[in-house]
């Protein structure tokens, strides 16, 4: 098996990746197929202070309860340490069938999102973005070329995923629980930066990291959105309370994005 000991230019990131590779390989054994980077590290827009380490692990057969428990403990142990990367590793364990698009839509996969614990979750609506990033830009930590394992993602599927997520958020924006979640700065910033990414895909017919899309949005959209996007970039990890004005602007940006994506 090919193992890339220096998949990124960052020594500390490579150490984290090597740590996980060794642990995961032991847990999964012969089920392990490959480990890859997507997101900002793969797209060349990584910010050492703010970006996450985005990982996809591909496996065959299934991950039983015993192995899932071992993986969950492994990730919890890492997050309990004093590593600056604790709770900054987002990972999805994806079956070979899911990568090929032949797995049942109801299937669940071990995943970590937004610094939470490892859970079995369905593929999110935004999986098209992750799959596209993996196929077009994915960096190999271990395993074969990811482009050899799956077909390219159709651009129409990217745009459809962006539209569907935006529609769901518009519906949820009428619910108190969703608004309450946005009152925490990091949650509100996630929505703003995701909307920038959807608009970037709509206009540029490709994907970009949230940071790249945000910079594009500040240059290309109406300047009234610039302060909101700029604060979202700077405070994307903050758990402070969202400014009321930013919350109102976020809902307006959501409506603008929904109309823009629906008009194509």
């Amino acid at each position: 098996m090919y193992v890339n000991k220096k998949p990124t230019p960052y020594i500390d990131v490579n150490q984290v990746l090597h740590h996980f590779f060794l642990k995961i390989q032991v847990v999964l054994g012969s089920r392990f197929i490959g480990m890859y980077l997507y997101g900002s590290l793969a797209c060349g827009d990584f910010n050492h202070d703010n970006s996450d380490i985005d990982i996809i692990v591909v496996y065959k057969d299934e991950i039983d309860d015993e192995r899932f428990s071992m993986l969950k403990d492994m990730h919890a142990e890492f997050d309990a340490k004093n590593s600056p990367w604790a709770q900054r590793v987002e990972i999805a364990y994806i079956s070979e069938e899911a990568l090929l698009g032949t797995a049942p839509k109801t299937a669940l996969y071990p995943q970590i999102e937004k610094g939470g614990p490892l859970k079995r979750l369905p593929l999110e609506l935004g999986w098209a973005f992750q799959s596209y990033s993996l196929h077009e830009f994915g960096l190999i930590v271990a395993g074969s070329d990811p482009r050899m394992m799956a077909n390219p993602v159709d651009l129409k599927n990217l745009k459809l995923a962006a539209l569907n997520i935006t529609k769901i958020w518009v519906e949820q924006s009428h619910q108190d629980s969703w608004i309450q979640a946005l009152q925490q700065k990091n949650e509100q910033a996630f929505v703003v930066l995701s909307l920038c990414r959807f608009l970037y895909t709509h206009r540029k017919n490709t994907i970009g990291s949230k940071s790249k899309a945000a910079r594009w949005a500040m240059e290309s959209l109406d300047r009234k959105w610039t302060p909101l996007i700029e604060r979202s970039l700077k405070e994307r990890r903050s758990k402070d309370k969202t400014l009321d004005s930013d919350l109102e602007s976020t809902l307006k940006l959501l409506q603008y994005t929904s109309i823009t994506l629906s008009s194509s």
Side-chain angles (χ1 to χ4, degrees), residues 2 41 48 57 94-95 100 102 144-145 152 182 205 234 259:
Y2 171 73
L41 274 168
H48 204 274
V57 173
I94 304 297
S95 71
L100 292 170
T102 59
S144 58
D145 189 332
L182 261 63
N205 292 320
K234 291 180 179 178
I259 293 170

Side-chain angles (χ1 to χ4, degrees), residues 123-136:
L123 292 178
E124 59 179 272
L125 285 174
W127 167 247
F129 282 84
Q130 297 175 12
S131 184
Y132 184 96
S133 175
L134 176 64
H135 189 277
E136 300 298 324

